[in-house]
Amino acid sequence: MTDDRSRLLIGRRAFTLSLAGSAFLAGSGLLAPPVFAQQAAQSFPKWVETFRARARARGVSDATYNRVFSGLKPDTSVYEQDRNQAEFTEQSWQYLNRRVSDWRIATGKQKAKQYSALFDRIEQAFGVDRRVMLGYWGMESAYGEVLSNPTHMKPVFNSLAALAWGDARRRKYWEAELLNALVIVERGWGTPQEMTGSWAGAMGHTQWMPEVWLNMGVDFDGDGRISPFGKPDDALAGTANYLVKRGKYRRGEPWGFEAKLPGNFNSDLADNKTRRPLSQWSELGITTIEGQSLSAYDEPARLWLPGGPGGPALLLLHNFYAVRSYNPSSNYALAVVHLGDRVMGEGPFVASWPGGERALTLAEIQELQQRLTAAGFSTGGTDGRVGGDTMRAVRAFQQKAGITPADGYASLAVLNALRQGR
């Protein structure tokens, strides 16, 4: 019996890929963010009492229900936060530059070393590469740094109650997540006070929604409860469990790789939708970025040019879509896997981004934040991380200084303008 698998060298890593007959399963996407219809059929106190019967039906005791809702006020600011989700529009290279930053790479290296034994256990139990887990952790919570920041984290029950009560269009979804959160308290896995998260109720190191916490969570530290807070053990293991069960992640396979296109390549073939065996991409003149032939491999792949013709060309394999199952954005998935690769010692993409520019260094971002703050544009800190506060400060400065587009991107042009006192 022959073994129809062989080793493909990608950068410093060798992976086993099939030589014939592989099946391709795209990861499933999450629901897109809602558009709120701010309508409530009854007052909030009356709605709370009416909703009690739903909680009882899920096994939530009156004692737990009263504990959660006693004195609770719905956080109606979540409606405005949802409307402002599309506040900034970024090119793919801007998205990556901001997230795969010097700070995230350096901090990720520290976390990889600090939690090496934990990642060994996760890889053994679930088969998910640590670079993927480090990418999620860095993307979702800056390795846990934002979890204690009240600017970013809100009381989850105040948010979910407001959404379940006031969002007529997606009320069933928010009601279900509120019930899931109540069950978590009933089980003793979390308290209302410690359950803080995003405006939509995502919590912990890897930002679980209550449904994920209940159904995909793993008690990986053996303390008798499942929690995405505190030690990262449960959060990372539960996310790995999610990738395997819902994303169909495959042990030992790469997410994809940067490719080299021939000079006469028809870029219309790169649509991030059509999948072909790697051997067929090889027939079109495509190799790995190092020039290795793909003619022997039948693994299905999709070709993506995230920056358009002339920029990085990526061949996406099954595990890219497994990663993407966590958030239905290809830019998000690319940032996760590229951040993980950089943390583990891989270099940046070889091809340059058309119209792009290099990312600011950690020291340059800190200087930009310091200069913006001194000029009256608060960045909410000068730690070298570019979040929403820094982006809003950059945009306000761009508008004042006449820099176009005023897109909130922390660029070299913005830093130079600040140095010049504009």
Side-chain angles (χ1 to χ4, degrees):
M1 182 175 179
T2 61
D3 182 5
D4 292 334
R5 299 180 72 80
S6 184
R7 302 292 274 173
L8 175 65
L9 183 66
I10 302 172
R12 302 174 185 168
R13 298 165 289 150
F15 292 94
T16 301
L17 291 180
S18 65
L19 293 168
S22 295
F24 187 92
L25 297 174
S28 62
L30 301 178
L31 292 172
V35 176
F36 287 105
Q38 230 176 295
Q39 300 174 5
Q42 53 191 328
S43 69
F44 183 71
K46 185 175 181 181
W47 174 85
V48 169
E49 281 309 307
T50 301
F51 196 67
R52 183 187 294 271
R54 296 280 303 279
R56 285 174 178 161
R58 280 291 303 273
V60 177
S61 66
D62 281 348
T64 295
Y65 195 82
N66 293 337
R67 178 184 172 195
V68 169
F69 280 100
S70 178
L72 185 147
K73 295 182 180 179
D75 183 358
T76 56
S77 70
V78 295
Y79 306 129
E80 185 65 25
Q81 285 184 275
D82 178 71
R83 284 193 289 267
N84 289 334
Q85 282 188 98
E87 185 177 3
F88 297 99
T89 301
E90 299 173 291
Q91 301 286 338
S92 291
W93 62 269
Q94 291 177 319
Y95 188 94
L96 284 185
N97 278 357
R98 187 162 78 84
R99 291 161 179 83
V100 187
S101 63
D102 278 2
W103 184 91
R104 276 194 171 96
I105 294 170
T107 305
K109 289 179 184 293
Q110 295 170 6
K111 298 297 184 182
K113 183 177 181 180
Q114 179 182 356
Y115 292 98
S116 177
L118 172 60
F119 288 118
D120 285 344
R121 292 178 58 218
I122 290 174
E123 287 179 344
Q124 183 177 5
F126 302 100
V128 179
D129 195 306
R130 68 190 63 202
R131 66 187 65 221
V132 174
M133 303 312 302
L134 284 159
Y136 278 129
W137 195 9
M139 283 284 290
E140 291 291 351
S141 70
Y143 309 104
E145 290 282 327
V146 304
L147 297 186
S148 60
N149 188 333
T151 301
H152 300 286
M153 299 291 118
K154 295 171 162 287
V156 162
F157 281 105
N158 299 63
S159 299
L160 289 178
L163 294 164
W165 167 58
D167 176 18
R169 192 175 71 86
R170 293 195 65 201
R171 181 167 288 131
K172 288 184 178 180
Y173 173 77
W174 298 120
E175 286 177 346
E177 288 293 21
L178 177 57
L179 289 169
N180 289 331
L182 286 165
V183 172
I184 288 168
V185 177
E186 182 70 26
R187 290 185 181 181
W189 290 357
T191 67
Q193 293 72 33
E194 71 182 341
M195 290 171 68
T196 59
S198 71
W199 67 266
M203 292 170 279
H205 289 280
T206 47
Q207 292 293 277
W208 290 349
M209 289 299 290
E211 186 276 331
V212 174
W213 186 342
L214 274 182
N215 297 309
M216 293 290 107
V218 177
D219 178 15
F220 212 58
D221 62 3
D223 68 353
R225 67 173 194 152
I226 298 171
S227 175
F229 301 105
K231 293 189 297 184
D233 301 43
D234 291 2
L236 296 176
T239 299
N241 188 45
Y242 180 102
L243 283 184
V244 172
K245 291 185 176 177
R246 294 189 178 175
K248 308 303 180 186
Y249 184 95
R250 296 177 185 168
R251 182 187 294 262
E253 294 188 7
W255 62 265
F257 51 92
E258 187 176 5
K260 182 186 293 183
L261 307 183
N264 60 347
F265 185 77
N266 179 7
S267 60
D268 290 341
L269 297 176
D271 58 6
N272 196 14
K273 296 178 182 178
T274 302
R275 58 188 176 97
R276 305 168 187 265
L278 289 173
S279 57
Q280 289 188 16
W281 290 118
S282 180
E283 291 171 1
L284 296 172
I286 298 177
T287 66
T288 68
I289 197 66
E290 298 87 0
Q292 181 183 355
S293 172
L294 302 172
S295 61
Y297 300 94
D298 282 344
E299 194 78 16
R302 293 173 175 171
L303 181 64
W304 183 30
L305 306 180
L314 306 176
L315 281 169
L316 308 178
L317 301 171
H318 169 85
N319 275 350
F320 181 86
Y321 294 93
V323 171
R324 191 180 179 272
S325 71
Y326 208 70
N327 181 313
S329 161
S330 291
N331 279 341
Y332 171 88
L334 181 58
V336 168
V337 297
H338 189 50
L339 174 59
D341 284 348
R342 296 296 306 278
V343 166
M344 297 306 296
E346 301 293 331
F349 292 120
V350 174
S352 300
W353 294 90
E357 62 181 50
R358 72 167 178 83
L360 296 183
T361 66
L362 175 60
E364 287 171 334
I365 292 173
Q366 290 174 321
E367 179 188 351
L368 177 139
Q369 291 172 325
Q370 290 163 0
R371 290 182 179 274
L372 282 169
T373 300
F377 303 97
S378 175
T379 59
T382 57
D383 56 7
R385 287 183 287 157
V386 179
D389 289 340
T390 296
M391 294 181 74
R392 282 184 283 273
V394 167
R395 183 170 61 185
F397 172 75
Q398 289 171 323
Q399 292 169 338
K400 179 182 177 182
I403 299 173
T404 57
D407 55 7
Y409 179 68
S411 65
L412 286 168
V414 170
L415 179 57
N416 288 331
L418 285 163
R419 287 170 173 170
Q420 295 164 9
R422 290 173 57 182

